[in-house]
């Protein structure tokens, strides 16, 4: 049987993380076909390594996992180069970008198939069909072209996660030593990236997860999570965990059970949650979660304005007052809430857009008064192709459109779109963008993120002193002196570079 090459495009500047998504695909074909992984985060010249494998003639299939943003900068040119030099290779893309922007991917001419969501069954079934020259039209979670038409097969129900094979950490270690995936972070000296669940049971219209999982969520059991982490701790020395789930804390029962199991290991950890879900957790559960090593939890606050929360179709019962009350509550448990805010949603008039921005700037200041340790992560609203949602209809009506060519996604302006910093939306003026970014600069100066481990106490005091007058007087324009210090010290923004 022909071999499979799996490529993880570069996403990290300094700290590569375990390539969990591509490892899932490797696990799905383990024992069926020989495979290798090429990690763009660990290769000085990934194409040289890819070409060396393909030149043997043993590899017919190349799989890319592609997230929006930085990964596109390697994924697009390398996929094109592979198809030009090795035209007989079958190119298969998966990941959030490939699924949400499948039309532009399939029209590129150098991607043959897209895995539409989870590929645990779709990928091996496709390889079997291509190897045996049998029909693939009935394979679920698949997108391909038939003539000039793009075909999407039916979606598969989410798989029970405990039934899936374990990730092949030992085989990855033989290609790229695992210890280099365990980087130093705010959480620990050897931090492991881990996925314990897929999907999310909510339908926020600004979220890229929704079109893929359609309000579905499946999770590994606490026992399975603990078994995997314990193995990596004992073998390679992991001492902290980043849970990259879209929503780790959906189940209080699972979170509590995991906390009981992990507590004796004395590992710090971080995960993502919803405020209106965790506000229902008991005090006993929150206390245990903290005692078990959870130092910080990321929450999608998005806005303190209930009208905006409704526009974003945040779902559940979240409100501005609940966001504020929960920040105060977590203060009692010494868990740092990391609140993300999305500014710059569409409105009928420019004045209303500016009013919304001003409202949330003041709300963020209020949150900081309630709990100064609250980490604030600021995004500018970037449209997501949630077809049928009211917000997406508003976006299209305002004149926004995505790039029509795959190569356009790697232009500088669209990289900023993917990072949710300057999304090129027609209702946002340069004045609005400047107001958001300048406030963010002053805020980050007066309240430097706790996750930047390179920022020592002296630097923190200095930048706080410089930013203090501006923050206290609401003077945000032209904060060049703060930007200079942040650039000089290479200040880390969690929304771009992680913990």
């Amino acid at each position: 049987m022909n071999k499979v090459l799996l490529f993880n495009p570069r996403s990290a500047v300094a700290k590569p993380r375990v390539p969990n998504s591509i490892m899932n695909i490797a696990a799905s074909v383990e024992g069926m076909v020989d495979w290798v992984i090429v990690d763009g985060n660990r290769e000085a010249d990934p194409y040289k390594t890819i070409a060396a494998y393909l030149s043997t003639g043993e590899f017919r299939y190349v799989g890319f996992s592609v997230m929006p943003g930085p990964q596109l900068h390697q994924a697009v040119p390398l996929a094109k180069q592979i198809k030009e030099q090795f035209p007989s290779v079958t190119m298969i893309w998966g990941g959030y970008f490939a699924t949400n922007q499948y039309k532009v991917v399939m029209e590129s001419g150098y991607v043959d198939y897209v895995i539409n969501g989870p590929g645990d069954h779709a990928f091996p079934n496709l390889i079997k069909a291509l190897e045996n020259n049998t029909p693939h039209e009935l394979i679920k979670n698949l997108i391909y072209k038939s003539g000039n038409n793009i075909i999407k097969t039916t979606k598969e129900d989410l798989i029970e996660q405990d039934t899936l094979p374990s990730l092949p950490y030992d085989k990855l270690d033989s290609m790229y030593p695992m210890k280099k995936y365990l980087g130093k972070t705010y959480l620990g000296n050897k931090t492991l990236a881990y996925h314990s669940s897929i999907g999310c049971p909510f339908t926020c219209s600004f979220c890229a997860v929704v079109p893929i999982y359609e309000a579905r969520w499946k999770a590994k059991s606490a026992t399975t999570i603990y078994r995997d982490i314990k193995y990596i701790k004992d073998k390679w020395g992991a001492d902290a965990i980043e849970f990259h789930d879209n929503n780790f804390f959906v189940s209080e029962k699972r979170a509590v059970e995991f906390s009981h199991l992990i507590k004796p290991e004395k590992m710090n950890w971080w995960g993502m949650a919803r405020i209106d879900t965790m506000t229902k957790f008991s005090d006993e559960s929150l206390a245990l979660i903290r005692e078990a090593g959870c130092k910080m939890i990321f929450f999608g606050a998005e806005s303190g304005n209930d009208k905006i929360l409704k526009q974003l179709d945040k779902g559940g019962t979240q409100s501005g007052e609940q966001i504020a009350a929960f920040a105060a509550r977590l203060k009692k448990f010494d868990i740092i809430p990391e609140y993300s805010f999305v500014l710059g949603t569409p409105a009928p008039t420019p004045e209303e857009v500016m009013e919304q921005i001003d409202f949330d700037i003041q709300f963020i200041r209020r949150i900081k008064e309630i709990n100064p340790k609250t980490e604030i992560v600021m995004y500018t609203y970037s449209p997501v192709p949630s077809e049928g949602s009211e917000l997406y209809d508003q976006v299209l009506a305002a004149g926004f459109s995505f790039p029509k060519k795959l190569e356009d996604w790697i232009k500088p302006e669209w990289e900023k779109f993917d990072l949710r910093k300057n999304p090129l939306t027609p209702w946002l003026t340069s004045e609005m963008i400047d107001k958001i970014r300048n406030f963010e600069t002053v805020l980050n100066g007066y309240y430097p993120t706790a996750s930047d481990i390179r920022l020592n106490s002296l630097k923190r005091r200095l930048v706080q002193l410089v930013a203090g007058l501006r923050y206290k007087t609401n003077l945000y324009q032209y904060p060049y002196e703060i930007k200079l210090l942040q650039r000089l010290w290479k200040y880390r923004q969690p929304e771009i570079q992680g913990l």
Side-chain angles (χ1 to χ4, degrees):
M1 182 174 277
N2 289 289
K3 297 179 181 179
V4 173
L5 185 150
L6 300 171
F7 178 54
N8 182 49
R10 184 179 180 87
S11 59
V13 175
K15 293 183 298 190
R17 292 168 170 82
V18 175
N20 286 298
S21 57
I22 211 74
M23 285 275 280
N24 255 63
I25 297 303
S28 77
V29 295
E30 175 67 23
M32 182 187 93
V33 60
D34 289 336
W35 56 267
V36 296
I37 286 177
V38 176
D39 190 347
N41 297 292
R42 302 284 296 272
E43 297 278 352
D45 184 354
Y47 187 75
K48 182 179 178 181
T49 303
I50 291 170
Y53 279 121
L54 298 184
S55 295
T56 66
E58 298 175 353
F59 293 83
R60 178 185 171 190
Y61 310 103
V62 176
F64 278 42
S65 177
V66 188
M67 291 281 286
Q71 284 197 318
L72 287 168
H73 284 273
Q74 279 193 347
V76 172
L78 264 62
K80 189 174 183 179
Q81 191 174 0
I82 288 169
K83 267 296 188 180
E84 289 173 351
Q85 187 173 350
F86 304 96
S88 62
V89 161
T90 299
M91 176 72 62
I92 307 164
W93 276 27
Y96 287 126
F97 180 83
T99 296
N100 284 335
Q101 302 293 341
Y102 67 90
K103 291 179 182 177
V104 73
V105 172
M106 292 307 306
E107 293 295 347
S108 69
Y110 43 88
V111 178
D112 300 297
Y113 299 93
V114 164
I115 302 298
N116 185 19
D120 304 280
H121 289 166
F123 190 85
N125 287 339
L126 176 61
I127 300 301
K128 287 178 186 176
L130 295 174
E131 279 291 292
N132 297 318
N133 197 29
T134 56
H136 57 262
E137 287 79 6
L138 297 181
I139 297 173
K140 295 181 179 179
N141 290 10
L142 196 62
I143 301 175
Y144 61 94
K145 288 194 77 173
S146 178
N148 293 322
N149 298 318
I150 296 177
I151 308 298
K152 292 177 71 175
T153 64
T154 58
K155 295 293 286 288
E156 180 183 26
D157 291 338
L158 293 191
I159 305 164
E160 294 295 338
Q161 297 297 288
D162 277 357
T163 67
L164 295 174
S166 297
L167 300 192
Y169 294 110
D170 290 283
K171 191 166 180 178
L172 177 68
D173 183 54
S174 69
M175 302 173 192
Y176 301 102
M178 272 288 292
K179 287 186 176 180
K180 289 192 176 182
Y181 284 116
L182 307 178
K184 187 175 182 179
T185 68
Y186 162 72
L187 297 170
N189 291 317
K190 295 183 178 180
T191 306
L192 165 70
Y194 186 88
H195 274 279
S196 79
S197 66
I198 59 171
C200 177
F202 295 90
T203 57
C204 307
S205 58
F206 61 93
C207 180
V209 174
V210 173
I212 299 172
Y213 296 106
E214 300 170 334
R216 298 172 298 168
W217 180 78
K218 288 289 184 181
K220 296 177 182 177
S221 66
T223 304
T224 298
I225 303 166
Y226 173 72
R227 179 201 66 203
D228 289 348
I229 290 169
K230 176 69 171 168
Y231 180 79
I232 295 168
K233 180 191 177 188
D234 291 346
K235 185 156 188 176
W236 293 292
D239 63 2
I241 317 151
E242 289 179 13
F243 286 105
H244 286 182
D245 306 39
N246 303 123
N247 195 338
F248 179 84
F249 293 94
V250 171
S251 166
E252 181 175 2
K253 179 181 178 182
R254 188 183 80 127
V256 166
E257 186 179 350
F258 171 73
S259 296
H260 279 300
L261 291 169
I262 203 67
K263 184 178 175 181
E265 305 300 330
K266 300 188 182 305
M267 299 177 76
N268 291 325
W269 49 285
W270 168 98
M272 302 187 199
R274 280 182 61 103
I275 293 166
D276 57 352
T277 297
M278 282 205 80
T279 197
K280 298 174 185 175
F281 280 30
S282 70
D283 283 359
E284 292 77 14
S285 293
L286 292 176
L288 173 63
I289 287 167
R290 179 64 189 96
E291 290 167 10
C294 181
K295 293 182 69 173
M296 181 187 292
I297 302 174
F298 180 97
F299 297 95
E302 318 313 359
S303 176
N305 187 328
D306 291 349
K307 180 180 177 182
I308 300 299
L309 291 173
K310 183 177 180 181
Q311 181 187 23
L312 293 173
D313 194 19
K314 184 64 183 173
T317 58
Q318 187 161 303
S319 68
E321 288 307 309
Q322 185 187 67
I323 293 168
F326 195 65
R329 186 180 176 207
L330 282 189
K331 188 177 180 180
K332 298 187 300 180
F333 298 97
D334 191 33
I335 297 174
I336 297 175
E338 189 177 17
Y339 279 3
S340 73
F341 285 86
V342 177
L343 280 67
T345 52
T349 67
E351 292 76 17
E352 289 178 78
V353 177
M354 187 66 88
E355 285 174 8
Q356 294 169 4
I357 293 170
D358 289 336
F359 181 96
D360 273 320
I361 285 175
Q362 292 306 312
F363 184 78
I364 290 168
R365 291 178 61 96
R366 180 186 167 200
I367 294 297
K368 278 294 192 179
E369 290 175 6
I370 293 170
N371 184 350
K373 287 188 176 181
T374 305
E375 294 271 304
I376 303 296
V377 176
M378 292 178 60
Y379 296 111
T380 308
Y381 170 71
S382 299
V384 169
S386 301
E387 296 178 3
S389 78
E390 184 177 340
L391 179 58
Y392 190 55
D393 289 341
Q394 294 173 22
V395 165
L396 297 179
F400 177 84
S401 62
F402 290 109
K404 299 296 189 293
K405 292 181 63 179
L406 187 54
E407 290 86 349
D408 291 341
W409 277 97
I410 59 176
K411 292 181 177 178
E413 59 268 28
W414 285 100
E415 180 182 14
K416 292 178 181 178
F417 171 89
D418 284 325
L419 295 175
R420 298 185 180 184
K421 289 300 177 186
N422 189 352
L424 308 175
T425 47
W427 57 86
L428 284 181
T429 65
S430 58
E431 179 187 4
M432 295 169 187
I433 293 290
D434 287 344
K435 176 173 280 194
I436 295 170
R437 297 283 76 83
N438 289 339
F439 171 70
E440 180 183 41
T441 298
V442 175
L443 178 74
N444 287 342
Y446 194 54
Y447 294 102
T449 174
S451 66
D452 191 341
I453 58 177
R454 298 174 303 183
L455 206 61
N456 61 35
S457 58
L458 178 61
K459 290 178 179 178
R460 288 179 185 276
R461 286 197 297 271
L462 180 57
V463 74
Q464 285 174 322
L465 181 65
V466 171
L469 181 61
R470 284 182 170 276
Y471 189 81
K472 292 172 183 176
T473 59
N474 294 286
L475 183 64
Y476 309 128
Q477 287 184 307
Y478 313 118
Y480 297 129
E481 72 285 6
I482 304 173
K483 289 181 178 180
L484 178 62
L485 289 176
Q486 291 175 342
R487 188 176 296 113
L488 181 67
W489 296 334
K490 298 180 181 179
Y491 180 77
R492 291 181 63 84
Q493 289 184 261
E495 65 270 30
I496 298 175
Q497 296 169 303
L499 296 180

